[in-house]
Amino acid sequence: MDEKNDKITEAALIRALENAKAFSQQLQKNREKRLWKKVDIPCSLFDAINGLTKAEMDTIRKNYDFRNLSSLKKAELASELAKLVPLKFKKVIYTLDQSRYNFIKVIIKNSGVIPDVGISVSSAEAFMEFSIIFPGLYDDQKILFMPNELINIFSQIDSNELENIVQRNTEWIRLTHGLLYYYGVMDPWTVKEKISGLTGQEVDILEFMNVMSFACDFYGQARYTSYGYQDERVFDAKKIVEEHRMRPDVEYYPFTKKQLLKAGDPGYVDKTPEMNSFISFLLKHYRLSDQETNEIALQITNMINADSKPTLIIQYLLSWMEFPSFEFVQQLTARIMELYNNTRQWVLKAHTPNELFQEERKFLKLLPGEPFKISQQNSKVIDQQTRTKVGRNDPCPCGSRKKYKKCCGK
């Protein structure tokens, strides 16, 4: 009966995942349809804003911190925003980093209009929600455009001073992303102090938070919550913050500026010697591309930081490959435990369990040196020749001529 219920539950979970995926795809289509609406070129700032929904106008209002406008009707709000945005546009331009600054320069060079260059929906929305660049549909072609009023303001303030600020912002954002990659969650003041120390220049907290506000929306690598800034991979910020507070005498692991700038790259994976050894082990048994090994390394690092059990990593790897024998699973689990004990973890302020074990015996427990036991119900041993799951009464795939339950499945 329990087995039947488990199968029913499993089938329900699979259907739920499939439905969630389909729903997500539909949402994406709806976002794109809403984003690319017909426009006339040239397009004034008022016309660009007036073509938005009331909710999108409200986002612009909030991003610019315009007050006492929430009660206005759509047309009235569009008119007010078209008057007020140019007055504070300089402040938004001063939050740009090198990538967005260069993108704006390209659009201005092309008279304020370029064809859609494959920019992500979220990035296009972020530009629009700060009333800088707008997406549109012109002559049945997707375009990105910048109203002439804003081009004129940008051209007036574009100078060596702005370029220096852009370089500073680029460094702030990359360092913040790098800090959050290793620490998971940090409050703004701690991030600000870290960056001040790394750059040798005092960071103004309000300027920094304005820069990060736009960067969080645009890049999606980090977000601001009640716990502070957190890496986008974090789903339990409260736990990380509590673990940090439990270790007031443990300093954040001291990374160099170069290390943090590197870790700030999207999709970065810390390829430790243990991770490289683990990947080499997999490559001895499977033919995997660099893209596949990078994805595996990234997801395993994320699972370790999320405090997932080693058996979950086994289940994840089963989605990629078939295990030839139970002996292979034992070797695999030993290497996973080595990874656990030598991975920099959010809850440990980017130290590894091995590094802190001597100082924190009462808090930490290293995973055992011997492979942990995996229940036979959870281990799927696959016969590589027949590509089918080995039953307990089937001949063992190791070639011993014994039944699986009397041999590797014992």
Side-chain angles (χ1 to χ4, degrees), residues 149-212:
E149 299 99 310
L150 304 185
I151 290 177
N152 293 335
I153 296 172
F154 182 91
S155 299
Q156 290 170 12
I157 63 176
D158 191 16
S159 61
N160 289 336
E161 179 193 7
L162 177 58
E163 289 180 358
N164 290 334
I165 290 173
V166 165
Q167 291 175 7
R168 179 205 67 182
N169 295 346
T170 303
E171 196 168 64
W172 282 2
I173 294 166
R174 287 279 297 281
L175 288 173
T176 302
H177 287 163
L179 288 165
L180 296 177
Y181 175 86
Y182 283 115
Y183 303 136
V185 183
M186 298 183 83
D187 70 81
W189 286 95
T190 304
V191 177
K192 175 251 188 193
E193 290 301 322
K194 286 286 182 186
I195 293 178
S196 295
L198 289 162
T199 60
Q201 296 179 337
E202 187 60 29
V203 175
D204 181 276
I205 187 66
L206 292 179
E207 287 185 17
F208 169 73
M209 293 186 73
N210 284 334
V211 168
M212 284 307 302

Side-chain angles (χ1 to χ4, degrees), residues 224-272:
Y224 185 71
T225 70
S226 58
Y227 297 101
Y229 292 111
Q230 63 185 65
D231 190 280
E232 58 91 16
R233 298 167 297 155
V234 171
F235 67 88
D236 192 353
K238 181 180 179 182
K239 177 182 178 180
I240 294 171
V241 171
E242 289 175 348
E243 292 280 353
H244 286 182
R245 288 172 180 167
M246 285 173 59
R247 299 174 171 85
D249 298 329
V250 175
E251 298 292 334
Y252 287 99
Y253 184 87
F255 294 101
T256 65
K257 182 179 177 181
K258 183 178 179 180
Q259 286 175 315
L260 292 173
L261 288 173
K262 188 176 180 181
D265 282 337
Y268 171 79
V269 180
D270 188 9
K271 293 289 187 68
T272 62

Side-chain angles (χ1 to χ4, degrees), residues 3 17 29 62 84 124 146 184-185 212 239 293 373 379:
E3 184 177 350
L17 288 171
K29 289 180 181 178
K62 292 173 184 176
L84 295 173
M146 190 172 180
V185 183
M212 284 307 302
K239 177 182 178 180
T293 56
K373 293 182 179 180
S379 63

Side-chain angles (χ1 to χ4, degrees), residues 278-293:
F278 180 78
I279 294 299
S280 295
F281 171 75
L282 292 181
L283 290 174
K284 287 179 182 178
H285 296 83
Y286 305 96
R287 185 176 297 173
L288 300 167
S289 67
D290 289 343
Q291 183 178 354
E292 288 172 328
T293 56

